[in-house]
Amino acid sequence: MIKSVCGYCGVGCGLEFDTSKLVGDIAYPSNEGLVCKKGVSELHTMQTSSRLLRPYLRTAYNQPFELIAWDTSMKLIANKIRSSTPERIAFYLSGQMLSEDYYVANKLAKGFLGTSNVDTNSRTCMSSAVVAYQKVFGLDYVPVRMDDINSSDLLILVGANVAEAHVVFHNKIKKARKKGLKVIVIDPRFTSTAEHADLHIPLRPESDIDFFSLVALRLIEDKKINTHYIENHIEGFDTYLKKIKKLPKTKLLKRCDISKALFETFMQFFYNNENIISAWTMGLNQSVQGVDKNLALINMHLLSGKVDKKGNGVFSLTGQPNAMGGREVGGLSTTLAVHLGFDEASVKKVGEFWRSDNVASKPGLTAFEIIEVAERREIDVLIICHTDPIYHLPNRHRVEAAFKKIPFIVEINAYDDSQTKPFAHLRLPASPWGEKEGTQTNMDRTVTRQERLTRQSIDCKPDWEIFTMIAHAMGFKNAFNYNVAAEIFSEFQQMCRLSENQHLNFFDFEQETLKNGSFVWGDNLYKDHHYYTPSSKANLHFVQNLRQSEYSSLEYPFIILTGRTRDQWHSATKTGIVDSLTSYKPQSFVEIHPDDAKAYDIEEHQKIKVTTRRGSLLLHVSITDTIKKGCLFIPVTETGINYLTNDLLDPYSKQPDYNHSAAKIILYGVTSHI
């Protein structure tokens, strides 16, 4: 029996493999034997006709791909890099990569090529939460763990449909409810998660800041703030108080589009439960004000003192299996490595550790900024690993046009049917889950080892080995003298000692312990409410709804919401080939409220054209009263979804605003008017 860990969502379930099937690991803390359909079906996604099994090259978009040897492809990449400059080279990485893969790619780019244009698709998922944590606590650190719900009285889920996106965590929530946990879901949709909640708050899209500002005002007016915590552990309260008291309460409630009675019910839940955890994901993060929304929610906990004690706190949920691991090694372009920034002292320390005098010295391009620069023909080489940016970046027509202006695109992938394939020049076959080994960190800081379950496909290589080969071709063999993933992880463990506070304490365990267990880094980091800001206090930030997202209008009367469905993963490249996963919901549809459907004479399963200012899609209709009037829901398994979404970015996190695209609908072939 081989123990491993699931490679899908951020829960990171422990798995056991017995040569023919996968089952949940009863002894593993994240799931205690529970596992979702995606997890147990992962075995079937390894050997399929959709696998990429050989390196392929073409010289132009209109030319066919032809087989190329690995050695030749490495020389080609090295020559392309040498003929360019650091600011014109970019790497785009993924939360599906293991920490060792991330580490080698980041070290090569930032440490030896001198480019900080190294970002990850995690930018599009949770970078707003990263920035908010840094602004408040001085550190990118998730202070709550999944099992903490068992010590809590109330769980507030905001823009997080855990029943479909984090299935096993949702099952833990249901078990905790039987023991007394109360659950509130704040979401424009009455989701599968809301079905199992005690209260559902159907906020109007883009009114989250208004809602949490109302809560803050009530806490202040009712004298329910924790004055002891504020006086001793909060910075900026007086300024915050002066500003928030000027907000018009009636207008805030109206913008939320909920009744006063429903708001009062929420406040009674908040007052009647001592221990409170708030958890959120894309519904807050994916906004032009994603950071501000995070701050507004965190303010609610700071004012009430419901942070950093058992059963209380703010819990950012990550969607990908190793989104956390990418943050730890430095996979975001806004960090250098191991949670270090680009200040002079950090650059010096990293250079000494890596023994390189070419370390990048300033933040690089984020995900969509790469597109903006490519439009000006200022990117020469783009290396993409284990992700599909043509599919998942917003305003796809713009992204496709920008990709066509990049002279050399390398796609490292395990599968042959990506949306990025038509735009790549060189395609390199990577080992998928089950054919590689290494570590990943789940959404509550639990580090686990992913084991190889079967032989490696003959011409495929793990991502870390591919980046090591590129480094060797560039002449950096001594600095990248790795033979196995464990050697890379050992180096990463030692690098974690570079930070002054050494909070990223990966050096506190031996790798061997991961063979049959796990490790949680940073436990008790905020002991005694000591934070990593200059004052050692948490920062309270006043924010207000600036209404910067795209809003509905007479011409575009609907707002599109996006999200996952339970048994599918991203574009369904893997899960879509497993028969047992395709029966829950179709991969492509649009939900609409019955009143809106009636106004447009739309019937169930009818095909309609959904159009935004950027593009159109033809979709089959699902009529349901679980969605708020004036909204449409399209799952992210619809691979054309980003032809519709807008490319507004949060100014601090640079995370795209996926969930507020104004749209109109047209009956297929017939225009319908109200």
Side-chain angles (χ1 to χ4, degrees):
M1 186 77 72
I2 302 174
K3 289 181 180 287
S4 189
V5 63
C6 183
Y8 280 118
C9 80
V11 176
C13 293
L15 299 174
E16 291 183 335
F17 173 61
D18 67 355
T19 73
S20 62
K21 64 180 180 179
L22 290 169
V23 296
D25 182 355
I26 295 174
Y28 193 71
S30 290
N31 58 309
E32 299 172 324
L34 297 172
V35 66
C36 74
K37 285 187 176 182
K38 291 194 296 290
V40 295
S41 300
E42 195 154 16
L43 206 60
H44 304 295
T45 67
M46 291 159 49
Q47 299 297 333
T48 72
S49 59
S50 61
R51 281 286 305 278
L52 177 64
L53 297 171
R54 298 285 189 276
Y56 288 92
L57 174 71
R58 65 178 176 184
T59 56
Y61 292 123
N62 59 355
Q63 297 297 315
F65 281 103
E66 296 182 359
L67 283 169
I68 183 175
W70 273 103
D71 286 348
T72 307
S73 66
M74 294 299 106
K75 291 176 183 176
L76 177 61
I77 294 172
N79 287 336
K80 294 289 186 180
I81 291 174
R82 287 193 189 100
S83 64
S84 185
T85 55
E87 65 273 9
R88 300 177 70 93
I89 298 167
F91 286 50
Y92 193 45
L93 309 178
S94 164
Q96 273 80 61
M97 295 169 67
L98 297 177
S99 294
E100 292 81 356
D101 306 325
Y102 258 126
Y103 181 85
V104 177
N106 192 60
K107 177 181 177 179
L108 171 62
K110 292 177 185 168
F112 288 80
L113 301 183
T115 178
S116 52
N117 299 332
V118 182
D119 214 30
T120 162
N121 59 16
S122 299
R123 174 72 56 188
T124 66
C125 303
M126 50 61 191
S127 56
S128 290
V130 170
V131 174
Y133 279 138
Q134 291 170 334
K135 279 178 170 285
V136 176
F137 303 115
L139 195 66
D140 174 18
Y141 170 76
V142 179
V144 177
R145 305 195 61 239
M146 283 184 281
D147 284 347
D148 289 344
I149 63 171
N150 295 316
S151 303
S152 189
D153 302 308
L154 174 64
L155 174 64
I156 303 171
L157 293 164
V158 188
N161 186 11
V162 293
E164 304 207 52
H166 301 92
V167 178
V168 170
F169 181 46
H170 180 63
N171 287 335
K172 285 176 170 281
I173 293 169
K174 289 195 293 184
K175 288 175 67 176
R177 282 194 74 213
K178 292 178 180 178
K179 298 176 183 178
L181 177 71
K182 297 293 188 290
V183 178
I184 296 176
V185 170
I186 301 175
D187 198 302
R189 300 171 63 221
F190 186 78
T191 60
S192 299
T193 306
E195 291 177 15
H196 299 276
D198 297 277
L199 181 67
H200 173 231
I201 308 288
L203 284 188
R204 175 184 283 145
E206 197 61 0
S207 65
D208 310 86
I209 295 173
D210 299 320
F211 181 81
F212 291 117
S213 294
L214 275 173
V215 175
L217 281 165
R218 272 297 295 276
L219 290 171
I220 293 166
E221 290 173 354
D222 292 352
K223 294 182 171 52
K224 294 287 188 178
I225 59 175
N226 189 323
T227 54
H228 179 269
Y229 179 79
I230 291 170
E231 289 171 2
N232 291 278
H233 305 293
I234 295 293
E235 193 79 46
F237 175 71
D238 291 340
T239 301
Y240 174 86
L241 189 62
K242 290 176 184 177
K243 291 182 177 180
I244 197 163
K245 283 187 172 181
K246 295 179 181 178
L247 293 180
K249 290 185 291 184
T250 302
K251 187 175 182 180
L252 294 180
L253 186 63
K254 184 177 181 181
R255 288 212 297 237
C256 292
D257 194 26
I258 59 172
S259 67
K260 185 176 181 180
L262 188 58
F263 178 75
E264 290 298 328
T265 303
F266 174 88
M267 292 308 306
Q268 290 311 306
F269 269 94
F270 199 90
Y271 289 158
N272 294 337
N273 290 280
E274 177 63 26
N275 300 307
I276 301 176
I277 291 172
S278 290
W280 70 95
T281 181
M282 312 309 177
L284 286 191
N285 294 336
Q286 291 181 333
S287 166
V288 71
Q289 276 193 273
V291 173
D292 286 351
K293 289 180 179 182
N294 276 257
L295 294 173
L297 182 148
I298 295 172
N299 286 345
M300 176 177 72
H301 281 261
L302 295 179
L303 291 169
S304 57
K306 297 184 184 299
V307 285
D308 306 323
K309 56 183 180 179
K310 197 69 173 176
N312 293 270
V314 288
F315 191 10
S316 163
L317 310 180
T318 54
Q320 298 189 87
N322 201 33
M324 282 285 283
R327 286 149 71 173
E328 292 155 5
V329 304
L332 292 168
S333 65
T334 42
T335 60
L336 178 54
V338 294
H339 285 191
L340 295 173
F342 290 91
D343 58 280
E344 187 176 344
S346 293
V347 171
K348 184 175 184 293
K349 283 193 290 189
V350 170
E352 290 173 351
F353 183 84
W354 280 338
R355 298 180 182 178
S356 171
D357 58 2
N358 196 34
V359 175
S361 58
K362 61 181 180 180
L365 300 171
T366 60
F368 202 81
E369 288 176 326
I370 292 173
I371 302 305
E372 293 171 341
V373 173
E375 288 178 319
R376 304 195 296 268
R377 299 186 185 274
E378 293 175 5
I379 296 291
D380 295 330
V381 178
L382 174 61
I383 299 176
I384 302 163
C385 186
H386 253 75
T387 187
D388 199 354
I390 288 292
Y391 151 69
H392 74 245
L393 289 177
N395 196 351
R396 181 165 168 171
H397 285 299
R398 184 179 177 186
V399 174
E400 290 179 353
F403 265 53
K404 289 178 180 178
K405 296 179 179 179
I406 301 175
F408 189 61
I409 296 176
V410 180
E411 183 191 14
I412 302 169
N413 205 334
Y415 296 90
D416 190 48
D417 54 352
S418 72
Q419 303 288 302
T420 301
K421 175 182 177 179
F423 300 86
H425 300 92
L426 176 63
R427 307 189 74 229
L428 300 176
S431 301
W433 183 93
E435 288 188 16
K436 59 183 178 181
E437 57 192 19
T439 56
Q440 65 185 52
T441 307
N442 77 350
M443 64 188 182
D444 68 1
R445 310 187 319 277
T446 302
V447 184
T448 314
R449 183 174 170 81
Q450 193 181 107
E451 297 288 354
R452 194 167 70 180
L453 307 182
T454 186
R455 67 174 180 83
Q456 191 171 290
S457 296
I458 191 167
D459 219 15
C460 298
K461 302 181 186 299
D463 302 317
W464 68 262
E465 187 174 338
I466 297 172
F467 287 111
T468 296
M469 292 171 68
I470 296 172
H472 289 186
M474 291 295 300
F476 308 133
K477 190 169 185 178
N478 289 339
F480 293 82
N481 190 22
Y482 309 122
N483 297 299
V484 292
E487 295 173 351
I488 302 165
F489 192 79
S490 292
E491 182 176 313
F492 166 59
Q493 285 181 296
Q494 294 308 308
M495 194 178 195
C496 288
R497 295 183 183 276
L498 295 186
S499 60
E500 290 183 10
N501 54 53
Q502 297 193 353
H503 67 277
L504 203 63
N505 58 322
F506 276 72
F507 42 78
D508 278 345
F509 70 97
E510 299 292 333
Q511 285 191 61
E512 193 63 29
T513 63
L514 298 182
K515 286 287 186 180
N516 292 295
S518 58
F519 174 78
V520 180
W521 68 266
D523 261 7
N524 300 315
L525 184 62
Y526 293 154
K527 188 177 180 181
D528 300 324
H529 306 301
H530 179 91
Y531 304 111
Y532 291 87
T533 60
S535 66
S536 298
K537 295 182 178 182
N539 292 315
L540 196 62
H541 292 267
F542 171 76
V543 294
Q544 58 183 325
N545 187 355
L546 301 177
R547 299 174 66 84
Q548 294 173 321
S549 291
E550 198 167 61
Y551 279 81
S552 56
S553 62
L554 288 175
E555 184 180 3
Y556 295 94
F558 293 94
I559 292 295
I560 296 174
L561 308 174
T562 64
R564 289 183 181 169
T565 56
R566 189 189 67 198
D567 295 338
Q568 296 299 329
W569 178 254
H570 290 184
S571 61
T573 302
K574 293 167 64 176
T575 51
I577 63 176
V578 181
D579 291 341
S580 63
L581 298 181
T582 57
S583 59
Y584 172 58
K585 283 183 181 178
Q587 294 177 24
S588 176
F589 60 89
V590 55
E591 288 182 353
I592 187 171
H593 190 275
D595 291 350
D596 291 326
K598 183 178 180 180
Y600 280 79
D601 297 323
I602 295 172
E603 298 179 359
E604 182 75 5
H605 304 309
Q606 188 170 3
K607 187 174 276 191
I608 64 172
K609 180 186 284 187
V610 179
T611 298
T612 70
R613 292 177 176 87
R614 292 155 295 279
S616 299
L617 283 180
L618 291 175
L619 300 164
H620 287 284
V621 168
S622 173
I623 300 174
T624 174
D625 60 4
T626 61
I627 192 167
K628 199 172 182 70
K629 286 177 62 176
C631 294
L632 305 172
F633 172 78
I634 303 173
V636 296
T637 43
E638 163 50 62
T639 56
I641 189 170
N642 285 310
Y643 284 120
L644 305 181
T645 54
N646 70 57
D647 50 28
L648 290 170
L649 303 180
D650 182 284
Y652 305 107
S653 68
K654 305 299 181 182
Q655 183 162 352
D657 189 343
Y658 286 100
N659 277 302
H660 309 96
S661 299
K664 59 185 176 183
I665 56 177
I666 302 174
L667 295 182
Y668 187 36
V670 180
T671 302
S672 181
H673 299 282
I674 296 179

